Amino acid sequence: MFSNRNHAKAYVSLGSNLGDRGGNLLLAVRGMMEAALCVTRLSSIYETEPVSEVEQAPFLNMVAEVGSPLPTPEQVMARLLRIEYLLGRTRDVKDGPRTIDLDLLLYADIENHTEFLTLPHPRMHERRFVLEPLVEIAPRVMHPTLKRTAMELLESSEDQTAVKRWCP
């Protein structure tokens, strides 16, 4: 267990495919800063195919690095859920369209399996729309259970969905 939260880094995936997708991402980053999360780096924004059985518009995705001082992983997740709520996120349809989606991917080397929070994110290593922006800002960050870097996970990914830098 990583005990020193003063030097910990966490990574958050941001996604939007409803309304002003780019504006929603920026509002979410602002919301993270207003929630006392120290955003230290942001990836580029990528346009990505939805990974869902539900017919919907393409997503814009990015990853934010959050640095110290960090609240506990549960507190980070609670703040992310509040930001989703404030930005109009509803959960009517599983994997359906959304104004904003915020996922806590990694929090230092912590592994957590509770009803409220699973760390690392259970599907991050399977999703190119997460790995591409993560590799852009933290290619050597280590997945604590798979013991592989983000770059290694991307290189071995079987996900063939389209992920390209967004140029509005």
Side-chain angles (χ1 to χ4, degrees), residues 17-136:
N17 75 337
L18 279 180
D20 178 1
R21 301 174 303 164
N24 291 337
L25 294 180
L26 294 176
L27 287 170
V29 170
R30 180 178 167 188
M32 290 168 62
M33 293 186 295
E34 289 174 353
L37 297 174
C38 182
V39 177
T40 52
R41 283 197 285 183
L42 294 171
S43 73
S44 301
I45 297 174
Y46 294 80
E47 190 162 44
T48 65
E49 295 178 47
V51 180
S52 172
E53 303 299 314
V54 180
E55 186 69 31
Q56 56 190 303
F59 275 84
L60 291 184
N61 289 96
M62 67 189 303
V63 168
E65 178 185 85
V66 181
S68 54
L70 273 173
T72 67
E74 292 78 12
Q75 289 169 331
V76 171
M77 193 65 225
R79 292 175 195 191
L80 297 178
L81 289 170
R82 177 158 171 72
I83 294 162
E84 285 184 344
Y85 172 78
L86 292 172
L87 293 179
R89 167 78 191 262
T90 59
R91 296 177 188 271
D92 305 330
V93 179
K94 181 175 172 28
D95 296 329
R98 56 208 87 146
T99 54
I100 196 69
D101 185 29
L102 302 174
D103 288 324
L104 183 55
L105 302 173
L106 298 165
Y107 185 113
D109 59 359
I110 289 179
E111 296 177 42
N112 189 50
H113 301 284
T114 65
E115 193 174 314
F116 181 64
L117 177 63
T118 301
L119 283 172
H121 188 284
R123 291 174 306 283
M124 68 170 276
H125 63 285
E126 301 169 353
R127 295 178 166 174
R128 184 169 290 279
F129 70 85
V130 168
L131 293 172
E132 292 264 359
L134 180 61
V135 164
E136 180 188 334

